[in-house]
Amino acid sequence: MSSKKDLNRSLSTTLRARSALIYVVVAFLTILSGYPFYYMFMSSTWTSYQILESLKLYPGPLENLVNNVNRLNARSEFSFMIGFKNSFIISICATALSVYFSALTAYGLKVYQFKLRNAAFSFIMLVLMVPAQVSITGFFKLMMDMGLVGTKWPLIIPAIAAPGTVFFIKQYLDSALSHEIIEASRIDGANEFYTFNRICLPIMVPALATQVIFGFISSWNNYFMPSIILSKMKDKTLPLMIAQLYGDRYTDFGQIYTGLSISVIPLIIIYVFLQRYIIAGVSAGSVKE
């Protein structure tokens, strides 16, 4: 009996040690991932000279933050209103198109049985492997021939083709959508779009919310494509305007950190409202029946 108790005590001690180690690792990774944002917010309350003078890990006077914001608004190459408006229009439209049409594509690959279904899915995965930089020359030439360079459309319409989003939602549907539901809807006389919009989309909510977060963040922070397509001040997004704050001889880091801090506020709001779906979407999408 005593040996059995000793064994149980030893196992309990080992499990507690492993749990403690896991908590330590998770806490370390949390601090490591959150530190850049913390440093960015703290630096936005200091002047450029104070930031360069020493590491600032505590907030400065509110007056510094107000001065940084006022100096930002006074710059001709920067406008919060224009940047926010353009970033919101592009990000919301691109995210909506990407998520809806990717869900529609994933639904077709899941529900319909046709000869080239596996080939189509393989092609989508192949496109996922190709970086955007490889096709940028042909894409820019196409947009120029269509007269769309300098407009927001090249940053919105191509979002319809999002292979990564298709793959994620397809994996989610493999574990969450039953063919019996689709067949029952068809027997009741519902057409395919009614079945998709009224029955399947509610089932996809965790996966859709997860992709809304990732898609919105990706579009909001996108710098590469807008820097090539957009040239006029009235069309530029926040990342483009913030990039222009870096000077050849002098850079005001207080203004840069202030601009970055304000630009991430919409991302934080989106995450706060949708973060409860992330774990459900990722865990369900990673398990296949």
Side-chain angles (χ1 to χ4, degrees):
M1 282 297 286
S2 61
S3 60
K4 189 174 182 179
K5 290 182 179 179
D6 293 338
L7 179 60
N8 291 335
R9 190 180 299 110
S10 176
L11 289 175
S12 178
T13 303
T14 302
L15 290 175
R16 283 198 298 268
R18 288 183 178 179
S19 299
L21 179 61
I22 291 174
Y23 283 123
V24 170
V25 172
V26 170
F28 173 75
L29 293 177
T30 301
I31 294 173
L32 190 64
S33 60
Y35 173 77
F37 293 96
Y38 176 80
Y39 178 75
M40 178 181 66
F41 287 125
M42 294 301 101
S43 298
S44 66
T45 61
W46 296 96
T47 65
S48 182
Y49 174 78
Q50 292 168 330
I51 294 172
L52 295 174
E53 184 182 30
S54 62
L55 185 66
K56 303 298 183 183
L57 297 179
Y58 54 94
L62 181 61
E63 181 183 359
N64 289 340
L65 177 61
V66 175
N67 289 335
N68 287 335
V69 173
N70 291 335
R71 288 200 300 272
L72 270 177
N73 285 324
R75 300 185 66 145
S76 59
E77 71 271 27
F78 191 93
S79 172
F80 277 120
M81 294 302 298
I82 294 176
F84 265 109
K85 183 191 71 172
N86 293 331
S87 292
F88 265 116
I89 291 174
I90 294 173
S91 299
I92 291 176
C93 293
T95 301
L97 289 177
S98 171
V99 172
Y100 182 81
F101 283 96
S102 295
L104 192 60
T105 304
Y107 170 80
L109 292 172
K110 167 65 177 177
V111 172
Y112 296 109
Q113 304 292 330
F114 53 96
K115 291 183 179 180
L116 297 179
R117 186 177 68 159
N118 293 332
F121 186 68
S122 299
F123 177 76
I124 292 174
M125 293 299 96
L126 179 62
V127 174
L128 179 61
M129 304 295 178
V130 179
Q133 292 81 354
V134 173
S135 59
I136 186 60
T137 303
F139 177 77
F140 182 79
K141 180 66 167 57
L142 176 62
M143 294 298 105
M144 182 176 293
D145 293 340
M146 296 176 66
L148 296 178
V149 173
T151 68
K152 300 180 181 68
W153 294 114
L155 305 174
I156 297 175
I157 297 177
I160 292 176
T165 307
V166 173
F167 172 75
F168 183 89
I169 298 178
K170 171 66 166 55
Q171 295 302 106
Y172 179 84
L173 290 179
D174 285 342
S175 61
L177 181 63
S178 173
H179 279 283
E180 285 76 11
I181 298 177
I182 307 300
E183 293 299 328
S185 176
R186 290 171 177 170
I187 292 173
D188 289 340
N191 60 46
E192 292 300 317
F193 277 101
Y194 182 92
T195 302
F196 173 74
N197 292 320
R198 297 298 184 89
I199 297 177
C200 293
L201 279 184
I203 296 175
M204 300 181 198
V205 166
L208 298 181
T210 303
Q211 291 306 303
V212 164
I213 294 175
F214 294 154
F216 188 88
I217 291 175
S218 176
S219 181
W220 184 272
N221 292 331
N222 189 11
Y223 173 79
F224 175 68
M225 195 67 73
S227 66
I228 296 173
I229 299 297
L230 303 177
S231 57
K232 297 179 182 178
M233 173 64 184
K234 64 182 182 68
D235 296 321
K236 290 188 175 181
T237 59
L238 271 179
L240 291 181
M241 292 183 178
I242 293 174
Q244 292 180 333
L245 298 178
Y246 290 89
D248 295 332
R249 297 182 179 180
Y250 174 74
T251 299
D252 193 326
F253 289 99
Q255 293 183 34
I256 291 176
Y257 282 120
T258 301
L260 290 172
S261 299
I262 296 176
S263 69
V264 302
I265 291 177
L267 305 182
I268 295 175
I269 294 174
I270 292 291
Y271 177 80
V272 168
F273 279 100
L274 298 180
Q275 58 87 23
R276 66 191 182 97
Y277 293 107
I278 289 183
I279 296 178
V282 172
S283 61
S286 62
V287 179
K288 186 175 181 179
E289 293 181 351

